[in-house]
Amino acid sequence: MHYQTAWQWARDGKMPVPVTKTATGRYLVLEQPSERDGRTVAYCRVSSADQKADLERQAGRVVTAATGMGLTIADVVSEIGSGLNGRRPKLARLLRDPQVTTIVVEHRDRLTRFGLEHLSAALEASGRRIVVIDDAEVDHDLMRDMTEALTSFCARLYGRGSASRRAKAALRAARDAA
């Protein structure tokens, strides 16, 4: 948005957020308290239909852990699809729904393979958040980053189904050669 548009909106009282005019004539955007009255939803995902039984067990683990953290799960959204696939309609619906203030996942890769930090920052800007139950794999070590990058490249070359297996084999070969 252009600054003149923001100035006109503030002047005309059309600004979508609360603003106040300072003594110097500038408009100050007031901080809004974040609303935590929305719904908390558990998001569970597996990569293939063969893992459907794992999906149900994953949902049980997420609900149990979230309840232990004092969160009340309003709904469980389950989806089958690759973490590399950006076309997951149930996840997209969750992210678009402003009533969903908290999304709970078991592991960070159940939500997305890349960019979780960016997704979290974008949601936090609107008073929403992502809770990762088992955050032990968040260590920013080189091996995890290399595995994610290699998996992405393999997915483009060989297809999404065998990408993870081929990436791990390539890393094992590189480790054995060193």
Side-chain angles (χ1 to χ4, degrees), residues 169-178:
L171 282 173
R172 266 194 309 277
R175 194 177 322 121
D176 293 343

Side-chain angles (χ1 to χ4, degrees), residues 43 45 58 61-62 104-112 116 131-137:
Y43 179 77
R45 181 192 62 80
Q58 183 184 136
R61 289 189 305 267
V62 170
V104 183
V105 294
E106 184 174 30
H107 299 286
R108 66 191 325 256
D109 68 342
R110 296 297 91 197
L111 191 61
T112 182
L116 181 66
V131 175
V132 180
I133 300 294
D134 185 4
D135 213 10
E137 59 191 0

Side-chain angles (χ1 to χ4, degrees), residues 9-10 21 23 35 38 48 54 69 75 78 102 107 120-121 133 146 157 163 166 172:
W9 283 4
K21 190 172 183 178
E35 296 178 10
S48 67
D54 295 338
M69 296 170 72
D75 195 13
S78 298
T102 306
H107 299 286
S120 292
I133 300 294
M146 288 298 294
L157 286 174
R166 288 179 186 252
R172 266 194 309 277

Side-chain angles (χ1 to χ4, degrees), residues 2 34 49-50 61 67 103 136 150 155:
H2 196 269
S34 64
D50 298 344
R61 289 189 305 267
T67 304
I103 299 172
L150 196 54

